[in-house]
Amino acid sequence: MIRLWASPQGAPKAAAAAKENASVSHDTGKSVVTFPIPGVAGAIAKATLSAQNQAEHIEVRDGNLVLEFDYAKYDDYNNR
């Protein structure tokens, strides 16, 4: 579940579903969205966004477990 909700496609949906439990801050000039991971009690994600509002780095803390995911090189592969 963590891997699904920490993906570039899942993170915005999880943050939107969290509603009032999600927050946005600006660390070092970048937006950081913090939200709970759906279906995993106590797991909290922090997504650092690029200037284009795309996930660059997502850190998930679930108790003592810390998982980090980095994303880059977004491209449109469905150019019509």
Side-chain angles (χ1 to χ4, degrees):
M1 293 299 290
I2 288 174
R3 185 67 181 106
L4 172 69
W5 294 116
S7 70
Q9 297 82 14
K13 293 177 183 178
K19 299 181 182 174
E20 67 275 352
N21 293 323
S23 65
V24 179
S25 63
H26 299 281
D27 294 344
T28 65
K30 294 189 177 190
S31 297
V32 177
V33 181
T34 303
F35 56 93
I37 297 289
V40 184
I44 303 294
K46 290 177 79 174
T48 302
L49 306 181
S50 69
Q52 293 78 31
N53 293 321
Q54 298 167 322
E56 284 185 335
H57 179 80
I58 299 178
E59 176 184 290
V60 179
R61 292 185 179 269
D62 184 15
N64 291 332
L65 179 65
V66 178
L67 301 166
E68 296 187 32
F69 306 95
D70 291 310
Y71 302 102
K73 298 183 182 179
Y74 286 89
D75 203 356
D76 183 7
Y77 294 104
N78 190 24
N79 54 357
R80 293 183 190 191

